[in-house]
Amino acid sequence: MISKFYNFRWALAGLLFMLPLLMHSQNQWINIGELKKGGADELLTKTIQQAIDQAAEKGGGTIYFPAGDYLTGAIHFKTNITLHLDAGAVLRFSDDFDNYLPFVQTRWEGTVMNNFSPLIYAKNVKNIAITGRGVIDGQGKKWWNAMYDIELAKEKRPLNKYQKMWQEANPNLETSDYYQRTMNLKFFRPPLFQAFQSENILIEGVTIKNSPFWTINPAFCNNIRITGVTIYNPPSPNTDGINPTSCKNVHISDCHISVGDDCITIKSGRDADGRKWATPTENVTITNCTMLNGHGGVVIGSEVSGGIKKVTISNCVFDGTDRGIRLKTARGRGGYVEDIRVSNVVMNNIQKEAIMMNMYYDKNTKVAPVTEETPVFKNIHFSGITGRNINTATKVLGIEEMPVSNIRFSDIQMDAKEGFYISKASGVELHDVTVTTELGASFELIDSDMVVLDNIKTLKPLENTPVVKLENVQQLLLSNTSLFSPMDQFLSVSGEKNKEIYLLNNLTPHAEKPLVKSDQVKKNAIIQK
């Protein structure tokens, strides 16, 4: 009886030992290194695609790239497929444009069109992944040069074969007048990765470099996780890092990004085409990322026509980007940006604005009726932000027919050449904000209303310059500010439209002129208590 028990125990142990191996054998694991026959310049597009197709036919699997060099053209995902690049593996993409034909359906800069296949493409698939410690090299230089060659040509040239193909593939594309200069190029570089109308996407651990265009660009997708990814693009045109467009449930974390354009950008479609697809980007978390070179750290827009909402940006460092947080749109875009929270961010060496909200992105200054083409920025909150070596601390530019509304800044400390500038905003709150400038007022508000300035400070008041400058501001409370440094002016008010400006519990004992107001300011516009 005892021997039977021990025999059963050993049999059970053997079964438990073999179970993972049996399960692994059922999961397709195809080693591209074993299928590769030539050298580094062997084009493996068919080999890789056949491996994907073979695994997909059996329900899915992993396409494995051991250490080595692999050259390929466009790769098209299928459901339940993982590309795994081991440490030492380099997946290089061909710079022969023919290897990205035929055209496929993509979204390019917010417009859905038929275009070159993205280097890695997925459409209507589920459960796909790119994982490992290997490198993906888009070899984008030839693409960049081709774009420059067309864009910078001094005289009109005959269309090349790719331009003719694009023109034939997109006969009825609707785009705005201002965008015709771009559309007339008829040559649009592909993103390195675009999943289109797909779900359950994971990109983890890999290093990506030299993208021809945007690098990671899911469109109309759901449940995306991008974690531990490193992206390096040199100074190069439009080589953004991570650009979800019209996506839902996006998780970006622990990434390191240094690129030729924006590091991370959230989008949802351009103008009429974006409104036609009417798909917002929502439920986005961005956390624990470092961003170096780039036009912006985290950017929202300018393609926001489908709407963007419920976004959190936290625990990030921007060091050397042109801007930190940037929201941009324009008249004609339509759409909305709302329910945005930014917290626990450190910025250094920012070349332009640390925080920018710009509704004049195309510089159209003509006031227009409120329609579906009117953009909206509202419910945007910033807290726990430190900035050093900043050019401009914050700039907010609303439009007359639709001011930026319900924005809040708290626990902010910045040393900047220029301070806060807020124009055409409603429902503005600054709490515990310290901005020390080299030029101009630390806080300037113009044509705004419903404003609370609570415990705002500068560490170094400037000669003959107010700390706070107001022009045509209504319903403002300035309170709880204590500044003991010597200063020429604390508050300057100008303009005939000021109304209901309340000053409460402020202490500036060494200000030569605590309040300076122009002759235009009405007698009862300022109430001191």
Side-chain angles (χ1 to χ4, degrees):
M1 187 70 179
I2 294 175
S3 63
K4 289 182 178 180
F5 171 78
Y6 277 109
N7 288 338
F8 172 78
R9 189 177 70 174
W10 282 109
L12 180 60
L15 179 61
L16 292 173
F17 175 79
M18 292 297 294
L19 186 58
L21 298 178
L22 292 170
M23 292 176 66
H24 179 74
S25 66
Q26 293 174 356
N27 177 34
Q28 292 293 306
W29 186 279
I30 300 176
N31 187 332
I32 299 299
E34 293 177 351
L35 301 176
K36 181 180 178 182
K37 299 177 181 178
D41 293 329
E42 177 190 5
L43 191 64
L44 296 168
T45 311
K46 290 184 179 179
T47 300
I48 295 169
Q49 196 60 53
Q50 288 172 356
I52 290 171
D53 296 345
Q54 175 187 327
E57 287 175 2
K58 297 182 179 180
T62 297
I63 312 305
Y64 173 59
F65 296 84
D69 195 301
Y70 305 88
L71 178 66
T72 184
I75 296 172
H76 288 196
F77 263 108
K78 294 192 174 178
T79 292
N80 297 331
I81 295 296
T82 293
L83 301 182
H84 183 81
L85 282 70
D86 215 345
V90 178
L91 182 61
R92 289 187 299 118
F93 281 87
S94 166
D95 60 7
D96 182 345
F97 304 160
D98 285 349
N99 288 320
Y100 304 93
L101 302 175
F103 283 1
V104 298
Q105 187 180 36
T106 69
R107 174 177 264 182
W108 196 92
E109 277 198 353
T111 300
V112 175
M113 63 173 66
N114 296 307
N115 194 32
F116 288 109
S117 171
L119 281 54
I120 302 175
Y121 180 63
K123 183 177 180 183
N124 297 323
V125 302
K126 299 179 180 180
N127 307 328
I128 61 172
I130 302 172
T131 63
R133 301 294 293 171
V135 174
I136 298 173
D137 186 349
Q139 297 200 122
K141 186 175 182 179
K142 188 174 177 181
W143 290 99
W144 310 331
N145 289 340
M147 187 277 293
Y148 284 134
D149 186 56
I150 294 169
E151 186 176 44
L152 301 179
K154 294 182 179 179
E155 55 186 35
K156 190 173 182 179
R157 300 175 179 176
L159 299 180
N160 64 37
K161 75 171 186 177
Y162 303 111
Q163 292 172 303
K164 291 177 181 177
M165 292 173 64
W166 184 89
Q167 186 169 263
E168 292 170 1
N170 297 279
N172 300 308
L173 205 60
E174 181 181 3
T175 55
S176 299
D177 291 343
Y178 76 89
Y179 201 54
Q180 291 311 302
R181 179 178 177 275
T182 298
M183 286 291 100
N184 287 337
L185 296 176
K186 297 180 173 61
F187 179 86
F188 303 105
R189 295 158 290 144
L192 191 143
F193 170 89
Q194 185 172 102
F196 192 96
Q197 295 179 327
S198 299
E199 61 180 293
N200 298 339
I201 298 163
L202 170 65
I203 303 177
E204 181 177 33
V206 292
T207 294
I208 306 175
K209 63 182 183 178
N210 299 322
S211 177
F213 183 60
W214 295 352
T215 305
I216 298 175
N217 179 213
F220 307 104
C221 293
N222 181 32
N223 192 18
I224 303 148
R225 184 156 63 94
I226 302 165
T227 184
V229 171
T230 298
I231 301 175
Y232 288 119
N233 293 322
S236 47
N238 316 110
T239 52
D240 298 37
I242 302 172
N243 289 18
T245 176
S246 293
C247 291
K248 185 175 183 179
N249 302 319
V250 180
H251 314 271
I252 301 170
S253 66
D254 304 289
C255 293
H256 180 70
I257 304 172
S258 183
V259 291
D261 206 311
D262 295 325
C263 294
I264 296 175
T265 306
I266 304 169
K267 301 176 180 285
S268 66
R270 182 185 295 274
D271 304 337
D273 191 71
R275 292 191 293 273
K276 178 180 72 176
W277 286 80
T279 306
T281 293
E282 58 183 322
N283 302 346
V284 179
T285 65
I286 300 169
T287 190
N288 298 343
C289 294
T290 51
M291 304 177 208
L292 304 184
N293 295 323
H295 292 179
V298 177
V299 178
I300 297 176
S302 67
E303 300 94 307
V304 298
S305 301
I308 295 172
K309 59 185 178 181
K310 293 176 285 185
V311 178
T312 68
I313 303 161
S314 64
N315 302 333
C316 290
V317 175
F318 307 141
D319 193 348
T321 57
D322 287 356
R323 294 177 175 88
I325 302 292
R326 184 184 189 190
L327 284 66
K328 55 183 179 177
T329 188
R331 291 182 172 106
R333 290 283 196 275
Y336 54 84
V337 176
E338 65 183 27
D339 300 337
I340 313 297
R341 284 193 170 266
V342 180
S343 62
N344 297 341
V345 171
V346 174
M347 304 189 200
N348 181 54
N349 193 26
I350 303 301
Q351 308 302 307
K352 296 181 180 180
E353 299 87 9
I355 298 170
M356 177 68 162
M357 286 179 264
N358 183 9
M359 301 182 79
Y360 285 99
Y361 184 60
D362 67 353
K363 300 179 176 62
N364 180 1
T365 58
K366 186 177 179 180
V367 177
V370 175
T371 67
E372 67 173 3
E373 296 184 359
T374 306
V376 176
F377 281 176
K378 66 179 182 180
N379 300 339
I380 302 167
H381 302 262
F382 299 86
S383 65
I385 297 176
T386 299
R388 298 284 183 270
N389 303 309
I390 308 295
N391 191 311
T392 300
T394 292
K395 186 173 285 188
V396 177
L397 303 175
I399 53 177
E400 185 172 331
E401 65 270 30
M402 189 62 67
V404 178
S405 64
N406 299 332
I407 58 175
R408 181 184 175 104
F409 302 86
S410 63
D411 185 19
I412 311 288
Q413 184 163 349
M414 291 191 188
D415 296 338
K417 186 175 181 180
E418 299 181 16
F420 269 63
Y421 178 89
I422 299 175
S423 173
K424 295 183 177 60
S426 179
V428 180
E429 294 190 26
L430 278 68
H431 298 271
D432 305 321
V433 177
T434 300
V435 179
T436 302
T437 64
E438 298 176 17
L439 296 173
S442 291
F443 306 94
E444 183 172 0
L445 291 94
I446 298 176
D447 296 327
S448 298
D449 63 15
M450 302 291 290
V451 178
V452 175
L453 305 179
D454 171 49
N455 189 26
I456 60 172
K457 295 181 180 180
T458 180
L459 299 181
K460 187 179 179 182
L462 301 179
E463 185 177 358
N464 298 320
T465 302
V467 176
V468 181
K469 184 177 181 180
L470 307 178
E471 181 179 339
N472 294 326
V473 175
Q474 300 181 9
Q475 297 173 314
L476 175 142
L477 172 63
L478 172 54
S479 64
N480 301 320
T481 292
S482 299
L483 291 174
F484 293 94
S485 300
M487 68 185 76
D488 292 334
Q489 301 176 32
F490 170 58
L491 172 63
S492 170
V493 183
S494 63
E496 61 184 10
K497 297 180 182 179
N498 292 289
K499 181 180 178 181
E500 297 183 76
I501 296 175
Y502 288 86
L503 309 180
L504 177 65
N505 196 30
N506 299 301
L507 185 61
T508 57
H510 302 295
E512 290 188 17
K513 297 178 181 178
L515 172 62
V516 176
K517 57 182 180 180
S518 71
D519 294 338
Q520 296 174 310
V521 178
K522 294 178 181 179
K523 182 178 180 180
N524 298 322
I526 302 172
I527 302 97
Q528 299 190 62
K529 293 187 177 182

